């Protein structure tokens, strides 16, 4: 068996941003590749919204589930399939990071309630330090 440190990180792209966003800053995987300074052999991109299969857990070191302009509450086929994969990934103790839609999908997959915010959209930038 291969060491997990040599396995790629899965970047799970959950749908496509609006064209203006893509024009300015690219699609979601690019954001993580740039922020983490990932090299091509250190990641793989999976697009469930295009029908791509989600990766086998023994083939990746972990996964980042991206944001999306879709809604978890729409229960799109690709989203439901991704939620089932998240449940299995948690059972397999695969490290996961969900961002925006990705964390909502994780909450939903694990039995949490995901609903519209009665106060409307929350958005903006906030500095983050580690």
């Amino acid at each position: 068996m291969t060491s997990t440190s040599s396995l790629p990180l899965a970047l799970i792209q959950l749908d496509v941003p609006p064209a203006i966003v893509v024009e300015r800053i690219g699609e979601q995987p690019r954001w993580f590749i740039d922020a983490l300074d990932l090299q091509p052999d250190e990641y793989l991109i999976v697009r469930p919204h295009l029908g791509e299969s989600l990766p086998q857990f023994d083939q990746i070191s972990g996964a980042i589930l991206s944001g999306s302009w879709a809604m978890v509450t729409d229960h799109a086929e690709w989203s439901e399939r991704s939620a089932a994969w998240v449940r299995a990934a948690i059972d397999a103790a695969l490290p996961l990071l969900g961002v925006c839609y990705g964390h909502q999908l994780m909450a939903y997959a694990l039995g949490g309630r995901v609903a519209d915010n009665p106060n409307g959209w929350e958005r903006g930038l906030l500095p983050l330090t580690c």
Side-chain angles (χ1 to χ4, degrees), residues 33-105:
I33 292 164
D34 291 348
L36 298 171
D37 194 27
L38 295 173
Q39 300 307 305
D41 64 336
E42 295 176 323
Y43 66 89
L44 64 95
I45 299 170
V46 180
R47 297 174 180 94
H49 63 283
L50 297 178
E52 294 179 6
S53 297
L54 290 145
Q56 298 296 313
F57 308 130
D58 62 351
Q59 300 298 306
I60 57 175
S61 60
I64 297 176
L65 295 106
S66 79
S68 177
W69 278 255
M71 301 293 292
V72 172
T73 54
D74 289 342
H75 304 288
E77 181 279 329
W78 60 265
S79 184
E80 293 296 312
R81 186 167 37 89
S82 299
W85 183 86
V86 165
R87 283 188 290 277
I90 293 293
D91 289 344
L94 183 73
L96 298 177
L97 171 65
V99 177
C100 198
Y101 186 98
H103 82 263
Q104 292 177 42
L105 182 66

Side-chain angles (χ1 to χ4, degrees), residues 1-9 41-43 58-62:
M1 180 167 197
T2 310
S3 164
T4 56
S5 62
S6 65
L7 294 174
L9 176 66
D41 64 336
E42 295 176 323
Y43 66 89
D58 62 351
Q59 300 298 306
I60 57 175
S61 60

